[in-house]
Amino acid sequence: MSKQRPTIADVATRAGVSKGAVSFALNGRPGLAQSTVDKIIAAADELGWRPSNRARSLSVSKAFALGLVITRDPAVLSSDPFFPAFIAGVESVLSTRGQALVLQVVTAGEDEEAGYRRLAQDGRVDGVFLSDLRHDDPRIGLLVELGLPAVTLNRPDGASPFPAVTLDDRPGTTAVVEHLLRLGHTRIAHVGGPPAFVHATARSTAFAAALATAGLEPEAMETSDFTAAGGIEATRRLLALAEPPTAIVYANDRMAIAGLGAAHAAGLSVPDDLSIAGFDDSEIAEYVHPGLTTVRADPFRFGEAAAHTLNQVVDGAADVSDVELPPAQLVVRRSTAVPPQLEES
C-alpha cells in the first residue's frame, strides 16, 4: 500500500496545537504568536505536508492558477524565441507559491475570445497575462467585462486599467541600424512582423526613424509574420529588387536565420555580399553560420517580472505600478560586415 498523505490533523498533533491554529499559521492569518507559527511550520516540514490546491481554493476562493492565452500555431510554438523562455520565468515564480499556469493555444478571433471566457468561467484562474498586444486591443475591454485581473506584456496604445511589464524594443533596433551605418551600409532593408502587433510596429518605426536620423530612407520595408517561411519569402522579394539591399534587419531571429538560408540558396555569402541582423538573441543565434548579429532581450526575466506583478494584482495590492525592464541590447556577431563596395575600394 502507498503511504497515506499527511493531513492537517497530523500536523496539529505533531505541533501540539489545534487544527484551527494550523490553518491560521499556514494561511498567514494573524492572531498566533510567532513561536507557535514556527512550531507549526516545522511540524509541517517534518511530515512533508503540503496543502491541496483544491482545499486552498475552496477556503480562500482562489484558483491558485494564472492564465496565458497564446495565439499561435501549436506546431511552431516550440521554436518560438520568446514564449518558452517567458513561460519558464513565470513558472519559476509560480512554483514557489504553489500555483499553476493554465496555458491555452488558440487561433485569433472568436476562438481567442472563447479562450479567455473559458479561463474566467467558474474561476479557473485568478488572473491572466495579456501578450502580443494589438492596436486598439479589444481584449482589454473583454477582460474588464469578465472581471479578470491582468498584466499586459508591454504597454497598450490605448487606455488600460491593468499594470504593464515593459521591455523597450526601440533602443535595440536603433542600435542595429547604427551598427550597420558605422560599417558603411546605406542600402538597408527591414523585414517586420504583423503590423497589427504593437511591438512589431514599434520595431519597424524605430528602424525607419534611425535611418531618417542619418538622412536615409529604408531600401525597402517588408511585412511578414514572424515565421521562418515568411522570412524566406520576404528575403527573396528583397533580393529580387533591381538594386537589392546590402543589409537586412529582421524583427526576430527566426526570420533572420531563415533569411540567412535564403541568401545562401541565392548564391550570396553572408556577410561578404549581404549583412543580416535579427532580434531576440534566441539560443540558436550564436551557433548558426555565421553567428547572428541580433538584439538580446531577456524573456525569462520578463516572465518573472510579469508573474510577480500579476500576483500583486491578484493579492489585492493597491496601486500596482508598471515595471520597466532594462531595454534590449545589441549583440554583434559575424553575420554583419562592411558592404561589398567598401571592401572593393
Side-chain angles (χ1 to χ4, degrees):
M1 289 181 61
S2 61
K3 185 177 179 181
Q4 187 174 359
R5 178 176 175 169
T7 67
I8 195 171
D10 297 325
V11 176
T13 300
R14 173 67 65 93
V17 298
S18 69
K19 289 192 292 183
V22 174
S23 177
F24 267 58
L26 297 178
N27 285 290
R29 297 175 184 171
L32 297 176
Q34 187 59 48
S35 59
T36 302
V37 173
D38 292 342
K39 183 166 60 174
I40 292 169
I41 291 174
D45 287 342
E46 290 167 7
L47 291 170
W49 180 87
R50 294 293 181 271
S52 158
N53 271 359
R54 177 174 175 81
R56 292 168 71 200
S57 64
L58 289 172
S59 66
V60 298
S61 300
K62 280 189 176 181
F64 292 95
L66 303 179
L68 175 62
V69 178
I70 301 177
T71 309
R72 286 286 191 281
D73 180 348
V76 301
L77 183 60
S78 62
S79 62
D80 185 280
F82 176 81
F83 279 110
F86 173 83
I87 290 170
V90 169
E91 290 283 13
S92 73
V93 174
L94 302 194
S95 63
T96 66
R97 293 172 55 102
Q99 294 172 297
L101 177 66
V102 179
L103 175 65
Q104 296 196 43
V105 182
V106 301
T107 56
E110 292 181 1
D111 192 24
E112 183 179 43
E113 179 177 335
Y116 286 104
R117 291 191 181 278
R118 282 194 297 271
L119 292 180
Q121 184 179 8
D122 299 325
R124 292 177 62 190
V125 298
D126 299 315
V128 294
F129 304 99
L130 191 59
S131 66
D132 284 340
L133 292 177
R134 295 88 186 254
H135 297 288
D136 299 318
D137 202 316
R139 295 173 299 168
I140 292 175
L142 173 64
L143 295 180
V144 171
E145 172 198 331
L146 295 174
L148 266 179
V151 163
T152 62
L153 308 185
N154 285 317
R155 196 169 283 114
D157 60 358
S160 169
F162 307 121
V165 177
T166 69
L167 190 154
D168 194 348
D169 294 341
R170 294 170 296 179
T173 301
T174 300
V176 169
V177 175
E178 291 175 343
H179 164 66
L180 292 169
L181 291 172
R182 286 193 298 271
L183 290 172
H185 291 274
T186 56
R187 299 205 314 273
I188 307 173
H190 186 258
V191 178
F197 289 165
V198 171
H199 70 287
T201 301
R203 294 177 193 181
S204 297
T205 301
F207 169 83
L211 283 179
T213 299
L216 298 172
E217 293 288 335
E219 184 67 12
M221 293 188 69
E222 290 283 342
T223 297
S224 190
D225 58 0
F226 285 140
T227 68
I232 289 172
E233 291 305 313
T235 304
R236 289 173 176 167
R237 290 192 296 269
L238 291 172
L239 297 182
L241 294 173
E243 194 172 15
T246 62
I248 306 176
V249 176
Y250 297 79
N252 76 350
D253 284 354
R254 181 188 293 171
M255 294 193 297
I257 292 169
L260 193 153
H264 286 160
L268 298 179
S269 172
V270 177
D272 296 336
D273 300 318
L274 176 70
S275 287
I276 284 179
F279 195 108
D280 286 322
D281 195 26
S282 53
E283 183 179 4
I284 197 173
E286 183 178 358
Y287 302 107
V288 296
H289 181 72
L292 184 67
T293 292
T294 184
V295 176
R296 177 177 295 154
D298 191 346
F300 184 91
R301 185 173 180 182
F302 210 147
E304 284 184 312
H308 282 303
T309 304
L310 183 52
N311 272 321
Q312 289 179 47
V313 177
V314 168
D315 291 343
D319 299 323
V320 179
S321 300
D322 291 353
V323 176
E324 300 277 355
L325 297 174
Q329 300 291 318
L330 174 66
V331 178
V332 177
R333 297 195 179 100
R334 297 186 65 186
S335 67
T336 50
V338 298
Q341 67 268 27
L342 291 183
E343 284 186 335
E344 296 166 2
S345 60

